[in-house]
Amino acid sequence: MIAVLGVGPGLGLSIAHRFGREGFTTALVSRTDARHATYRASLAEAGITAHTYAADVTDEAQLGAVLDRIRTDAGEIDTVYFGPADQGVGAAMAPLPEAGVDNLRVPFEALVLPAAQLTQAVLPRMRDRGAGSLLFAGGLSGKYPMPLLGSFAPASAALRMYVLTLNEALRDTGVYAGALTIGGLIKGGDIHRVFTEQDHGFTAGTLDPDDIAERAWSLHVERDEAEAEFIGVTA
């Protein structure tokens, strides 16, 4: 089964559909249950078994509790996808020349630390079984300098290097870690909706979440690369 942490109407749901088509039971976690009925209906229509949970995966206690509930309801977790929504990161973003410590701390607490907490929670069981996959979504600013994203970039870079180093450290254990490095707005996602409904003076290419989910499946199966990069196409 696959646990999708930080599920939304864009990439998270596409990940659930792609793995579900391969027979995976899916467990979807987001901060609120407002859209869970819609997610379950979408997956049920495709013949995919889905469980939904409300939890803040950036909170260590809530993360541990929801993982325990998932194991009780759906069995052992084979694969994890981590792609949490904006947890105040946008509000804290500032150009690096003007950024203070708090501008840098917020993205680290929303992205890097929860990723490490998740790994700590699921990796021991995976290593005992000699099987499992951990997939993490991150931003392109973690790979290339993008001044527009300012204080978000260091945390993005740290998350990317965390995953790449984890992949190397787990070599030959049967457990895989992979990074989905995303540069663009994902169609159907909340951020894409905000930017298309309002003029923020910012342009970015768009990406099809099903294409990213397909590549995520390939990483999980083939395990010959630690990272897949996606750059959106501007219309």
Side-chain angles (χ1 to χ4, degrees):
M1 69 91 62
I2 181 170
V4 181
L5 305 183
V7 67
L11 181 54
L13 189 58
S14 286
I15 293 282
H17 270 280
R18 183 63 188 90
F19 280 74
R21 291 204 304 272
E22 303 295 335
F24 279 64
T25 295
T26 62
L28 314 182
V29 183
S30 57
R31 280 177 289 171
T32 75
D33 62 3
R35 293 185 286 201
H36 285 178
T38 300
Y39 298 158
R40 290 195 302 270
S42 173
L43 290 161
E45 186 176 356
I48 299 168
T49 301
H51 304 265
T52 53
Y53 306 86
D56 179 355
V57 299
T58 68
D59 180 285
E60 187 173 7
Q62 290 190 47
L63 174 63
V66 78
L67 291 174
D68 285 342
R69 289 175 59 199
I70 290 170
R71 294 187 185 104
T72 298
D73 295 344
E76 200 58 64
I77 299 171
D78 303 295
T79 301
V80 172
Y81 164 78
F82 175 79
D86 183 342
Q87 294 279 69
V89 173
M93 192 178 297
L96 277 182
E98 287 80 46
V101 171
D102 287 340
N103 298 109
L104 298 173
R105 179 184 295 115
V106 171
F108 271 87
E109 292 178 346
L111 298 173
V112 184
L113 299 186
Q117 289 163 0
L118 171 62
T119 300
Q120 185 178 35
V122 300
L123 182 57
R125 292 171 182 256
M126 290 181 174
R127 295 188 74 173
D128 287 344
R129 297 194 310 272
S133 290
L134 302 117
L135 301 170
F136 300 84
L140 201 64
S141 65
K143 188 172 183 179
Y144 305 107
M146 302 176 71
L148 184 63
L149 295 180
S151 55
F152 177 76
S156 184
L159 176 61
R160 176 177 177 268
M161 188 50 62
Y162 173 80
V163 178
L164 297 185
T165 305
L166 183 63
N167 174 277
E168 187 65 25
L170 292 173
R171 190 177 297 278
D172 301 324
T173 67
V175 183
Y176 169 80
L180 306 173
T181 300
I182 299 168
L185 301 175
I186 298 173
K187 293 178 183 177
D190 291 329
I191 296 175
H192 180 265
R193 175 180 51 79
V194 169
F195 274 88
T196 53
E197 289 179 354
Q198 305 174 31
D199 182 8
H200 290 265
F202 173 73
T203 59
T206 58
L207 293 159
D208 187 328
D210 291 342
D211 292 342
I212 301 175
E214 184 64 41
R215 189 74 180 93
W217 173 255
S218 295
L219 290 177
H220 162 74
V221 172
E222 297 170 5
R223 300 178 171 220
D224 56 351
E225 295 180 273
E227 179 181 27
E229 179 182 302
F230 308 88
I231 299 178
V233 177
T234 304

